[in-house]
Amino acid sequence: MQAAFASVYPIAPPHIVGLMRQKPLRFLFVTHATGLDDLLTSIARGDSSAFESVYDQTASMVYGLTLRILRSPALAEEVTQEVYLQIWRQADRFDANRAPARAWIATLAHRRAVDEVRRIQSARDREQGLIGEPAAPDASERAIEHEESARLTKALGRLSDLQRQVIELAYFGGLTQNQVAERLGAPLGTVKTRMRDGLQRLRSVMRDDHV
Amino acid sequence: MSEEHDLVAAYALNALDELEAHRFERHLDECDSCRRELAELLEATTFLADLSSAAAPGDLRQRVLRRVQAPSRRRGLAWMVAAAAAAAALVFGSLWATSLARLDHFEQVAAIYQAADAQPTALTGTEGEGRFTHSASLGQGVFATEDLADAPAESVYELWLIDDAGPHPAGLFEAGEAVIVDDFSPGQMIAVTLEPSGGSELPTGPILLSGQL
């Protein structure tokens, strides 16, 4: 019995082989358009070259976004790795009818980074027994801020002050809408409205930007 | 309904707590206009993400590819799935229900959980709990965990079947994932250790969870 067990290892039994992620059948994909949506579909079939293309097309967005939120290159690298692991494993959850691939990937990256921020914050709160303000940025963090893309500053500059504040606190600060309201001393209803019209405004800025 | 409707922008910004987000996702399934507006607002958040772009460190690409390829080029005694949420919930309640990552594996996992002779084995330890549910008639079992923390960087959880001949690797997994095990026999011990990325041929870390088949 044991001998049989040993002889099977490490070669998988045939029915298990059938269930494992197969080597990509590259010829199926070479003629395919290489849009991100299609690439994610290929990843869901186990195509690792499609995965490499997705990485190359999105890594600076994922890394840059997580860096802005986490303010630590080491943490940003770690979270970026987790995001791509998640893309590799969960590409089959991507639904092009709901949002394009780039939005799906940006959302995954944002969630991971914000989860991390909230985890760190709640650990800090537990330690200190108080609701802490985020730590003051140190020199390296300020350096990052200086590198902030001029286009981002310009886009955010097209918003009203309150629109910009609620969006920055939520999207880059990782605060919930309730925390944003508390931080700004503004009614929750106002925060909700400014988030909504601020994002709509950004969307029209984006359209101008792309013309 | 209009109350849920108000949450769309905060949802796009990921600025809802878990409960609110869950509530909104349920609403989203049945509200066309929220789905449409969410798609629009996600254009704006994706714009912000794009504008945040910064060059990723050059070696990050290689590290990512290594991590992604590690499990698939290794042995095949077991393969990874995220546990079949619904099937697990059906049998054990939500405690053992974890996320379902790969729909194409759902039926196999469900079949094991629903087999007439499905037999659970509890794994206990200081780091969390696990359960190995196997069916002798199918010759397969599903291992799933609860409360296991994410493995630290450069490491991975590894499942072992241990008998008189020693420990046999039975698959690598991350917190929240389940492992399908194909080759086990009564009397074996089933255990989990933490190993360097890519796994080990023999356990190097202490046993975190264990149980007896």
Side-chain angles (χ1 to χ4, degrees):
Chain A
M1 198 57 177
Q2 201 45 56
F5 175 55
S7 73
V8 171
Y9 174 75
I11 301 155
H15 64 287
I16 290 292
V17 171
L19 298 173
M20 285 190 301
R21 194 185 279 281
Q22 297 294 297
K23 279 203 168 148
L25 298 170
R26 306 232 164 163
F27 63 88
L28 282 180
F29 306 118
V30 283
T31 57
H32 233 262
T34 48
L36 273 181
D37 287 14
D38 290 330
L39 287 171
L40 281 181
T41 310
S42 300
I43 292 175
R45 296 186 202 129
D47 182 351
S48 58
S49 69
F51 179 78
E52 292 183 38
S53 304
V54 167
Y55 180 89
D56 292 337
Q57 290 182 40
T58 57
S60 63
M61 174 184 79
V62 169
Y63 177 75
L65 178 62
T66 55
L67 179 62
R68 257 196 89 75
I69 293 167
L70 293 162
R71 295 163 170 267
S72 147
L75 275 180
E77 286 177 33
E78 182 55 35
V79 169
T80 299
Q81 289 190 55
E82 285 171 12
V83 169
Y84 283 100
L85 213 55
Q86 195 176 354
I87 291 170
W88 174 246
R89 292 191 176 134
Q90 300 183 351
D92 59 347
R93 287 192 190 176
F94 165 66
D95 178 0
N97 295 322
R98 288 219 162 178
R102 207 167 179 81
W104 187 70
I105 292 170
T107 303
L108 285 186
H110 187 263
R111 283 200 186 146
R112 280 275 177 163
V114 165
D115 284 350
E116 188 66 19
V117 163
R118 289 181 188 163
R119 216 168 50 78
I120 293 166
Q121 191 60 46
S122 77
R124 196 177 285 158
D125 292 348
R126 274 199 305 277
E127 271 171 30
Q128 302 180 346
L130 49 85
I131 306 296
E133 292 283 311
D138 65 18
S140 68
E141 289 167 356
R142 279 196 299 273
I144 292 163
E145 282 170 11
H146 279 252
E147 285 171 23
E148 171 183 288
S149 126
R151 283 176 65 216
L152 177 60
T153 314
K154 200 174 136 201
L156 291 171
R158 302 277 294 276
L159 303 177
S160 76
D161 282 350
L162 196 53
Q163 284 175 335
R164 186 179 47 73
Q165 283 173 319
V166 297
I167 286 173
E168 280 189 333
L169 285 173
Y171 195 70
F172 295 122
L175 299 191
T176 64
Q177 57 176 7
N178 292 311
Q179 291 169 325
V180 170
E182 206 173 305
R183 177 73 62 91
L184 295 175
L188 184 59
T190 308
V191 168
K192 287 177 176 173
T193 315
R194 292 296 90 85
M195 282 177 168
R196 198 172 188 166
D197 55 32
L199 285 179
Q200 287 290 7
R201 173 90 188 119
L202 269 178
R203 188 164 157 260
S204 63
V205 169
M206 172 184 80
R207 303 218 147 160
D208 298 347
D209 202 61
H210 285 186
V211 169
Chain B
M1 276 298 112
S2 71
E3 201 191 330
E4 264 87 3
H5 217 85
D6 272 357
L7 298 177
V8 64
Y11 183 79
L13 289 163
N14 190 21
L16 296 177
D17 64 35
E18 266 176 64
L19 213 65
E20 293 168 323
H22 184 68
R23 196 165 57 124
F24 182 75
E25 279 167 2
R26 279 209 317 247
H27 168 68
L28 204 55
D29 281 337
E30 48 197 47
C31 180
D32 283 344
S33 91
C34 275
R35 274 202 300 276
R36 256 195 317 275
E37 184 168 9
L38 179 62
E40 288 178 9
L41 299 181
L42 286 177
E43 288 178 25
T45 55
T46 307
F47 180 49
L48 289 176
D50 268 323
L51 293 183
S52 304
S53 294
D59 64 332
L60 191 57
R61 187 181 198 274
Q62 208 41 51
R63 273 145 62 201
V64 164
L65 295 182
R66 250 203 327 266
R67 260 179 91 167
V68 160
Q69 284 155 3
S72 58
R73 64 160 192 268
R74 288 184 63 83
R75 58 192 165 254
L77 250 185
W79 51 272
M80 308 294 124
V81 290
L90 209 64
V91 182
F92 301 115
S94 59
L95 178 67
W96 298 99
T98 46
S99 60
L100 171 64
R102 302 198 63 82
L103 272 172
D104 48 344
H105 295 153
F106 179 88
E107 284 179 18
Q108 275 83 24
V109 175
I112 296 167
Y113 277 125
Q114 292 171 335
D117 63 344
Q119 196 178 333
T121 301
L123 282 82
T124 54
T126 50
E127 307 295 324
E129 292 175 65
R131 191 188 293 257
F132 179 63
T133 305
H134 67 279
S135 155
S137 63
L138 294 174
Q140 286 190 327
V142 184
F143 167 77
T145 59
E146 177 79 8
D147 290 340
L148 209 57
D150 285 343
E154 310 297 325
S155 59
V156 65
Y157 289 110
E158 187 155 7
L159 188 67
W160 305 91
L161 288 164
I162 304 170
D163 53 33
D164 292 342
H168 311 277
L172 308 177
F173 65 99
E174 305 254 338
E177 286 181 329
V179 182
I180 299 286
V181 182
D182 173 69
D183 230 317
F184 49 85
S185 25
Q188 281 180 320
M189 184 177 161
I190 184 163
V192 172
T193 63
L194 198 59
E195 300 295 339
S197 284
S200 308
E201 295 298 328
L202 289 169
T204 61
I207 289 180
L208 304 174
L209 300 174
S210 64
Q212 192 79 37
L213 292 193

